[in-house]
Amino acid sequence: MGSNSHVETIKCGVPQGSGLGPLLFIVYTNDLNRCLNLTKLVLFADDTTVYLPSKNLTYLFTKINNKLLNVTNWFRANKLSLNISKTNYMLSTHHKQQDTNIDLQLENQMCQILGMVY
């Protein structure tokens, strides 16, 4: 939210705005879930939501960071780019958590937290 993408030359991928674009995009990204086992994945158009439930916060961040590394490798293998400035996370919990120094990282950059839901 509030971020703009940088203009870049497209060397491969699905043409945006074409009639077959949505179908080709789905086919092109169909195997993304294979690098995210143990997580839940929701895809809508070109937006992706990944979530992982856990009662242990340290385990949660370790697993999610591992899965985000898999996502990074998948993007590279498929010659896709990811706008990290538009990548955010939210922590939802049943009780207030102590402040933690654990962060989510994608391509060696910290993801911005949107907030915590109690």
Side-chain angles (χ1 to χ4, degrees), residues 12-61:
C12 66
V14 176
Q16 190 171 7
S18 69
L20 286 176
L23 177 61
L24 292 174
F25 182 81
I26 290 168
V27 170
Y28 194 73
T29 61
N30 192 43
D31 66 339
L32 176 60
N33 64 336
R34 290 185 183 166
C35 69
L36 291 168
N37 60 343
L38 301 178
T39 62
K40 307 290 183 190
L41 185 67
V42 177
L43 298 167
F44 180 77
D46 63 346
D47 290 327
T48 303
T49 301
V50 179
Y51 60 98
L52 174 67
S54 176
K55 294 180 181 181
N56 184 310
L57 192 59
T58 303
Y59 171 84
L60 173 71
F61 278 87

Side-chain angles (χ1 to χ4, degrees), residues 67-87:
K67 298 305 173 190
L68 291 176
L69 181 59
N70 292 348
V71 168
T72 299
N73 292 334
W74 183 90
F75 268 78
R76 285 188 184 128
N78 287 282
K79 299 180 182 175
L80 293 171
S81 61
L82 179 66
N83 189 337
I84 298 172
S85 67
K86 291 183 177 181
T87 303

